Amino acid sequence: MTGGTTLAVALSATAGLSGAVQIAVMSELGERAGVFPAIALSGVVAFVLGIVVLYASGSSLGGIRDTLREPAWLWTGGAISLFIILAMTVAGPRIGIAATLGILIGGNLVSGALIDHFGLLGLDRIPIGWPRALGIVLLGIGAALSLHKA
């Protein structure tokens, strides 16, 4: 693996590990303070940390100005993140962290495989072979089974 690939795998694995913690934290905050105040606070924290990281990396607010020149559809990542946090906050206390995470990852895997397969959103095409298809099916089965509370 190249250095860039190693970093990408490490970041992805760490983000995956933190997903369950995020569901637990947002579930609890949503139950205590309300779903929408919890989501708003999450957005404020992400904004402040984003600005800190921007400056810590040696960039400036000019970088944000540059992104505003990009097509508006590329700005949807923030709205999608907000929707994911909403889903985590609402689903976590109702169906459990494992089921929420399984369903969320299953949905991510299906949409990711379709985006790859068709080369959508300007990305390179990566066909869905039988190993990927089997992985998606098995993950779907696992997510469905995680809904059952013993």
Side-chain angles (χ1 to χ4, degrees), residues 29-149:
L29 185 58
E31 291 291 301
R32 290 182 183 202
V35 170
F36 297 110
I39 292 168
L41 178 64
S42 178
V44 169
V45 170
F47 173 77
V48 170
L49 290 176
I51 297 298
V52 168
V53 169
L54 180 71
Y55 280 110
S57 71
S59 297
S60 69
L61 291 178
I64 294 174
R65 184 183 59 245
D66 294 342
T67 62
L68 292 174
R69 294 185 187 122
E70 297 298 329
W73 70 269
L74 290 172
W75 308 348
T76 60
I80 293 167
S81 294
L82 186 69
F83 178 70
I84 291 168
I85 293 168
L86 170 66
M88 291 176 166
T89 305
V90 171
R94 288 160 182 80
I95 63 174
I97 294 170
T100 301
L101 197 55
I103 293 167
L104 191 129
I105 291 170
N108 273 281
L109 188 58
V110 168
S111 63
L114 291 172
I115 291 168
D116 282 348
H117 183 75
F118 293 108
L120 302 175
L121 305 172
L123 299 171
D124 292 335
R125 291 187 67 191
I126 302 171
I128 299 175
W130 73 265
R132 277 185 153 203
L134 178 61
I136 292 168
V137 168
L138 291 174
L139 187 58
I141 292 168
L145 289 173
S146 70
L147 283 167
H148 298 284
K149 296 179 182 178

